[in-house]
Amino acid sequence: MTHMTLRSFSYILATLSVLASCSSDPSQTALIKQTFSKTTTLEPGTAFLTARNSGAPTYVAGLQNKENAYTLFVRQTVNAKGEETWISPDHLSLGMKDGVIIATRGFGNDIYAADVDGTLQALQSGAENIITEHFITPLSGSSQVERLAFRCKVTHQSRELVPLSKRYTADTDLFYETCRNGQVKFQNLFWVERETRKIVQSRQWISEETGELALRLVVE
């Protein structure tokens, strides 16, 4: 996949300034340093601008294993099941459910679909340790659809402050979701706001080839 890029808007420059500030948590600091960097120019599409200008929720996002690979995602649609479509100015898209990725398009080695209900229930419960399952169906060029089942452990790690803007810092619980099957192992990180139980920051695995996508909610 080529580097993700975005237009150098004033609103994102302000956001990047806040996100570049240091965190007391080493894992959080690494996420910020690896995710956010300088911008280059790209003309966003009409759908992205329409959603953004309407005040739709927005994430800053970056791939952890690619230098300068970052973008914005704005929420475009929500269906009756609460499944959301998020789009970027560089023609990428995410399917999300309450902050957890259920599909990707345009990254290469994408997720066709995912069942994350077990993960969401574990995060909402706020318990220290929960064993659950996470199902992912990769998007492949073949006609065969392979659904991968992972056994996961969701563990509460710590209480963390996540600065979402100059005016607002979220008080969150940091959870690790460690998943494995016979061949693959991955770990997701979720920062869940204690008051609202909303995921305001995360680092989520897409595939072995694509790696992890870091997401942080933008509050202006």
Side-chain angles (χ1 to χ4, degrees):
M1 189 192 76
T2 57
H3 286 175
M4 291 187 285
T5 56
L6 56 101
R7 188 176 178 86
S8 182
F9 296 120
S10 59
Y11 57 74
I12 193 59
L13 294 179
T15 302
L16 296 178
S17 176
V18 173
L19 292 173
S21 61
C22 294
S23 166
S24 59
D25 174 48
S27 62
Q28 200 174 125
T29 301
L31 183 150
I32 294 169
K33 287 182 178 179
Q34 292 176 36
T35 303
F36 309 112
S37 184
K38 63 182 180 180
T39 62
T40 56
T41 301
L42 178 78
E43 190 66 36
T46 302
F48 174 86
L49 289 175
T50 298
R52 177 63 191 175
N53 292 335
S54 72
T58 303
Y59 283 114
V60 178
L63 284 175
Q64 297 290 274
N65 63 355
K66 290 186 181 292
E67 185 179 359
N68 297 335
Y70 56 87
T71 193
L72 290 179
F73 282 96
V74 296
R75 191 175 68 190
Q76 185 182 35
T77 61
V78 185
N79 67 19
K81 298 179 181 179
E83 298 167 340
E84 305 168 342
T85 300
W86 296 69
I87 58 174
S88 78
D90 38 350
H91 313 296
L92 304 173
S93 67
L94 294 174
M96 304 273 285
K97 188 171 183 180
D98 296 332
V100 181
I101 294 172
I102 58 174
T104 68
R105 297 294 185 271
F107 290 83
N109 303 108
D110 283 304
I111 296 172
Y112 174 73
D115 182 343
V116 299
D117 287 347
T119 298
L120 285 169
Q121 290 172 11
L123 294 174
Q124 290 296 320
S125 76
E128 291 291 324
N129 296 285
I130 295 180
I131 302 298
T132 186
E133 290 182 311
H134 194 129
F135 299 93
I136 295 175
T137 303
L139 183 62
S140 65
S142 67
S143 59
Q144 293 183 331
V145 176
E146 181 184 12
R147 190 176 191 229
L148 305 178
F150 294 89
R151 184 80 165 173
C152 302
K153 183 176 183 180
V154 178
T155 305
H156 179 265
Q157 294 295 310
S158 57
R159 184 173 179 175
E160 302 290 345
L161 296 177
V162 177
L164 300 180
S165 74
K166 291 183 178 180
R167 303 189 307 274
Y168 185 71
T169 297
D171 183 11
T172 74
D173 289 311
L174 170 59
F175 292 90
Y176 286 4
E177 180 190 34
T178 304
C179 301
R180 69 181 70 201
N181 61 16
Q183 301 169 323
V184 179
K185 178 182 178 181
F186 65 87
Q187 186 176 73
N188 293 326
L189 279 66
F190 299 99
W191 285 260
V192 181
E193 189 169 30
R194 293 172 68 90
E195 182 177 354
T196 64
R197 305 313 299 170
K198 178 189 296 184
I199 298 170
V200 298
Q201 180 174 274
S202 64
R203 194 171 72 201
Q204 301 184 55
W205 184 83
I206 296 175
S207 66
E208 291 188 288
E209 296 81 5
T210 303
E212 300 165 336
L213 183 69
L215 295 162
R216 178 179 281 196
L217 189 66
V218 175
V219 176
E220 300 181 66

